[in-house]
Amino acid sequence: MTDFPGPRPVVGDAVAITTGSSSVTINGTITSQGILRDGCGFVELTLPDADPQQRRDLEWSKQFQYDLFLRGALLYSSPHLKVRGCRRDGDGALIVTGSP
């Protein structure tokens, strides 16, 4: 599946993220969701409470691509996305916002 994700959250249990300088697999509850903000489409990738180095790696990256899995099956493969922001929610989860 490579269509841009819609507003309904897609939840997986693992994600493989590739940036310009690194590749990492994160396990846990991961959510991918398309959002519309100021007339522009974005994707939000919500990761479990990630270690600080992962956050820095994503913040310093200019772009990323990810594959979302559930029990080993590919749910979503993103195009290359420009990093538009990284933040933490109230539970400590890392939210990365990107756009094509």
Side-chain angles (χ1 to χ4, degrees), residues 16-38:
I17 302 172
T18 304
T19 65
S21 62
S22 68
S23 183
V24 64
T25 298
I26 299 171
N27 296 300
T29 302
I30 295 111
T31 305
S32 176
Q33 181 175 4
I35 60 168
L36 187 63
R37 183 181 305 141
D38 298 327

Side-chain angles (χ1 to χ4, degrees), residues 17-20 42-43 55-65 80-87 95-100:
I17 302 172
T18 304
T19 65
F42 297 92
V43 64
R55 180 179 177 169
R56 283 189 290 276
D57 288 347
L58 286 168
E59 285 176 330
W60 294 341
S61 297
K62 295 184 191 264
Q63 62 179 345
F64 68 105
Q65 185 276 329
H80 288 280
L81 301 166
K82 292 180 184 177
V83 175
R84 299 298 183 181
C86 285
R87 69 182 193 284
I95 301 170
V96 182
T97 304
S99 65

Side-chain angles (χ1 to χ4, degrees), residues 63-85:
Q63 62 179 345
F64 68 105
Q65 185 276 329
Y66 67 94
D67 295 321
L68 180 63
F69 299 90
L70 180 62
R71 294 185 294 276
L74 180 64
L75 294 177
Y76 177 72
S77 183
S78 78
H80 288 280
L81 301 166
K82 292 180 184 177
V83 175
R84 299 298 183 181

Side-chain angles (χ1 to χ4, degrees), residues 29 31 46-50 55 87-95:
T29 302
T31 305
T46 304
L47 306 169
D49 192 3
R55 180 179 177 169
R87 69 182 193 284
R88 292 234 182 231
D89 73 3
D91 296 332
L94 178 63
I95 301 170

